[in-house]
Amino acid sequence: MKSSDKKVLLEQYRKLIQIRLFEERAAEQYMLGKIRGFLHLYIGEEAIAVGAISALQPQDYLVTHYRDHGHALARGVEPNSIMAELFGKVTGTSKGKGGSMHLFDSSKRLAGGYAIVGGQIPIATGLAFAALKNGKNEIAMCFLGDGALNEGEFHESMNIAALWKLPIIYVCENNQYGMGAPVQDMVANPEIFRIAEAYKMKSVRLDGMDLKEMYTGMTDVVEYTRSGKGPYFVEAVTYRFRGHSMADPVIYRNKKEEDHWKTLDPIPKFKEWIFEVDSTLREEIENIEAEVELSIDASVEYADQSSFPSPEALYEDLYGSSE
Amino acid sequence: MVEMSYRQAMTKALREALLKDHSLYLFGEDIGGYGGSYAVTKGFLEEFGPERIIDTPISESAMVGVGIGAAMAGLRPVVEIMTINFALLAMDQIVNHAAKLRYMSGGQYTVPIIIRTVTGAGAQLGATHSQSLEGWFASVPGLKVVVPSDPKDALGLFRAVMSEQDPVIFVEHLLLYSSKGEVPEDDYVVPIGKAEVKRNGDEITIISYSRMVLVALEAAQELAEMDISVEVVDLRSLSPLDIETVLESVRKTGHALVVEEACRTGGFGAEVASQVQEFAFDHLDGPVLRVAGEDVPIPYSQPLEKLAIPTADSIIAAVKNMLGR
């Protein structure tokens, strides 16, 4: 294996476990009362964010929904600032005023986690409009869940993106449930990727539990859209291992189903594949695991030690001054 | 000074902006080939081309959302929502996103979008096309709301919003487009959040905005003939609200009447009335009263529609009642 390929693989594995460990620690901190409000975990779906986002360039725009920690981490946002945001601390990505569902990092062109189902889709479409007008070969990537497929904002945006040939990729993370509602009870077309055909938009279904397939598939999709051929719709099939949020007792699905999906866990699968390709990487993988664990522990410490925003922050960043 | 209509003032404002700022794009339904529902953008498609004058599908939510995204990426979109009634289809984008993105991102993203829309009743357009909902937006932190009543303010306020860094709801009134007024020929700007005394008087202050300013001025003229001296304050912006100019007038006259076209219950006038009694109570010689739209959907039939919104006569009656004249 070429050393550049090796580097990509190891970096992708680092991101996978970074997200998994971050989410597990966040759940613990929620149980301890350090994190309040809503907390939606991405556990089980990591291969999608890592595969799709590692196919992007730094100048591309990234927009996502409220289950957004994985996308932010995959984009390279520091665990420290994300964890601090979850704690409501001034060192957080939004100085503590956004919270878990609203992660932003303009330096990484992460233009937000959005907590109204479907609300992010028109905005991402507008970023793609600007990217087209700016003429710098930038594209936008917009994540949405299967629940968002039934929002008007999705359909309005799909139509506009196709009409105007915007450089945008919509990635639908079909994790089988919109809160507790099974996707097959809520979406009329079981072949979700084919919904795009109504808009004459290219689309593909990818295995969201397989990082290798996600990455190669998304690399092709990104190349298509960046070359000016227009938007793309991707259905990534996956499963969320935990409840909708920490408040969800998960009474709407059975253990047999959950156990089946857990056999498809993207992390051991990818790790085994790495060893198949190059068994000499075992030590490097172990080092990465140890490093990531330390860094996530450190992020909890960092968030805990950080200060809450001062009272003056209440009215800060509400309005800017006129030019 | 030059005389022009409110429509001409808006056309001039947009044309100036398009010429001056090349990052400005107009979005809206039928603003191009059709020339705009109220003909404000007539001729723009030919002059500026389809790259910048963008006819959108009838998708208010996506249209506003596209504007938000474009604004976040550094463009300056002006999105026309044909009437304020249709803004209801874009409420998620306006209220949940545009208004909150600067705050929720800790100042990392700004949304310099201008949303132009048309408010008001009086043209027998029926209940779904005659609402005055601008007050709703004024109660959303993160938005700015301007409501010009004459051509001078329409042009001057548009020049001001062009340098705003936050979302602005620019509210025009459907019955004002043909009204005319004197407009200075220089590059004057009407600052956002600054009310204007449109008529000086010393016995009572009428506070109003948008078309109701004209109706209040008409009432004030008739009252002058009855020897009643009325001061008329035009708010011009609902958010930020220039309560100081209002209070200054009320401290002088001792009486305050709020006139608005929107439904009385929960209308923006209630906010103004509340602030007047809160900050100028000692100067008041009587309660702050309101003349407002009736709490009904606007009926189609002409005589009924006239009953549903304030008129000069209803304002005159209220003033005489308040002053015991």
Side-chain angles (χ1 to χ4, degrees), chain A residues 61 85 93-95 97-99 102 104-127 129-131 133-134 153 156-157 159-160 163-164 166 313-323, chain B residues 25 27 50-52 54-76 89 92-93 96-99 101-109 140-144 160 162-167 239:
Chain A
Y61 289 103
E85 187 64 28
T93 44
S94 295
K95 307 177 199 168
K97 285 156 79 173
H102 307 117
F104 294 81
D105 187 339
S106 60
S107 72
K108 308 276 187 209
R109 291 218 160 171
L110 170 61
Y114 290 77
I116 304 292
V117 172
Q120 76 277 23
I121 308 173
I123 294 171
T125 308
L127 288 162
F129 174 88
K133 294 294 179 188
N134 288 338
E153 290 176 316
E156 290 184 11
S157 300
N159 182 54
I160 284 179
L163 267 177
W164 299 350
L166 297 180
L314 186 62
Y315 279 92
E316 283 170 7
D317 295 320
L318 178 56
Y319 294 103
S321 52
S322 301
E323 276 164 7
Chain B
Y25 292 82
F27 296 87
E51 293 292 310
R52 295 181 69 197
I54 300 166
D55 272 323
T56 69
I58 305 173
S59 301
E60 286 80 7
S61 193
M63 180 169 98
V64 173
V66 164
I68 294 170
M72 289 168 81
L75 303 185
R76 185 170 284 280
L89 291 148
D92 175 46
Q93 291 300 321
N96 282 324
H97 307 299
L101 279 161
R102 177 193 286 274
Y103 196 81
M104 287 200 310
S105 70
Q108 294 182 79
Y109 282 95
V140 179
L143 299 180
K144 294 188 177 182
M162 277 295 294
S163 50
E164 276 297 312
Q165 288 303 301
D166 295 297
S239 174

Side-chain angles (χ1 to χ4, degrees), chain A residues 163-178:
Chain A
L163 267 177
W164 299 350
K165 277 191 125 180
L166 297 180
I168 184 163
I169 299 162
Y170 301 103
V171 182
C172 175
E173 298 175 318
N174 174 10
N175 68 11
Q176 315 303 320
Y177 293 89

Side-chain angles (χ1 to χ4, degrees), chain B residues 3-315:
Chain B
E3 191 186 64
M4 67 173 74
S5 69
Y6 192 91
R7 174 183 292 106
Q8 285 169 326
M10 283 313 302
T11 302
K12 180 174 163 64
L14 287 165
R15 196 166 170 276
E16 261 182 25
L18 279 157
L19 289 169
K20 196 169 156 189
D21 184 348
H22 290 273
S23 71
L24 191 143
Y25 292 82
L26 300 194
F27 296 87
E29 293 155 10
D30 276 318
I31 61 167
Y34 188 94
S37 288
Y38 294 95
V40 169
T41 54
K42 203 172 158 192
F44 281 18
L45 182 63
E46 292 74 17
E47 186 175 357
F48 298 102
E51 293 292 310
R52 295 181 69 197
I53 309 301
I54 300 166
D55 272 323
T56 69
I58 305 173
S59 301
E60 286 80 7
S61 193
M63 180 169 98
V64 173
V66 164
I68 294 170
M72 289 168 81
L75 303 185
R76 185 170 284 280
V78 177
V79 179
E80 175 179 316
I81 299 181
M82 199 180 284
T83 88
I84 204 162
N85 308 279
F86 309 165
L88 300 188
L89 291 148
M91 280 309 239
D92 175 46
Q93 291 300 321
I94 299 170
V95 178
N96 282 324
H97 307 299
K100 294 172 177 55
L101 279 161
R102 177 193 286 274
Y103 196 81
M104 287 200 310
S105 70
Q108 294 182 79
Y109 282 95
T110 56
V111 188
I113 187 176
I114 300 164
I115 298 174
R116 286 182 52 234
T117 191
V118 181
T119 192
Q124 284 192 268
L125 300 180
T128 58
H129 285 61
S130 304
Q131 297 172 96
S132 299
L133 302 174
E134 52 281 350
W136 291 14
F137 297 103
S139 71
V140 179
L143 299 180
K144 294 188 177 182
V145 182
V146 300
V147 284
S149 70
D150 64 21
K152 168 186 69 83
D153 289 345
L155 176 58
L157 275 168
F158 198 85
R159 285 176 177 156
V161 303
M162 277 295 294
S163 50
E164 276 297 312
Q165 288 303 301
D166 295 297
V168 176
I169 315 294
F170 197 99
V171 184
E172 299 155 34
H173 193 293
L174 83 162
L175 291 189
L176 286 178
Y177 284 117
S178 300
S179 65
K180 292 193 169 155
E182 294 285 313
V183 175
E185 288 172 79
D186 62 2
D187 292 334
Y188 74 99
V189 170
V190 173
I192 297 183
K194 190 81 195 85
E196 184 180 54
V197 177
K198 283 282 201 286
R199 182 189 174 106
N200 288 299
D202 50 30
E203 289 182 82
I204 184 167
T205 302
I206 295 180
I207 304 120
S208 193
Y209 67 87
S210 194
R211 188 177 84 87
M212 282 298 134
V213 172
L214 270 59
V215 180
L217 288 169
E218 188 189 328
Q221 183 60 38
E222 286 188 42
L223 286 160
E225 286 157 20
M226 301 172 208
D227 261 350
I228 298 176
S229 172
V230 178
E231 182 144 301
V232 177
V233 178
D234 180 357
L235 295 174
R236 301 199 293 192
S237 300
L238 301 187
S239 174
L241 174 65
D242 176 11
I243 199 67
E244 269 315 312
T245 298
V246 173
L247 297 175
E248 200 178 308
S249 174
V250 173
R251 286 183 196 120
K252 180 178 76 175
T253 63
H255 290 280
L257 174 68
V258 185
V259 177
E260 69 173 332
E261 190 172 326
C263 296
R264 164 185 298 265
T265 302
F268 192 77
E271 175 64 29
V272 176
S274 179
Q275 292 202 31
V276 169
Q277 71 80 25
E278 195 172 348
F279 302 120
F281 186 77
D282 291 343
H283 298 269
L284 287 169
D285 295 326
V288 182
L289 295 189
R290 287 174 288 164
V291 173
E294 297 296 325
D295 286 326
V296 294
I298 301 293
Y300 163 70
S301 179
Q302 194 180 51
L304 289 179
E305 184 180 42
K306 283 187 168 164
L307 286 175
I309 51 181
T311 60
D313 286 344
S314 61
I315 295 169

Side-chain angles (χ1 to χ4, degrees), chain A residues 295-316:
Chain A
S295 74
I296 300 298
D297 286 345
S299 76
V300 173
E301 182 68 15
Y302 176 81
D304 206 29
Q305 296 297 315
S306 293
S307 307
F308 281 109
S310 64
E312 298 81 61
L314 186 62
Y315 279 92
E316 283 170 7

Side-chain angles (χ1 to χ4, degrees), chain A residues 209 239 241-242 257-266 268:
Chain A
M209 307 304 277
Y239 197 78
F241 289 1
R242 301 289 184 96
E257 179 187 293
E258 290 179 354
D259 288 345
H260 163 70
W261 281 94
K262 280 176 186 164
T263 65
L264 306 174
D265 191 329

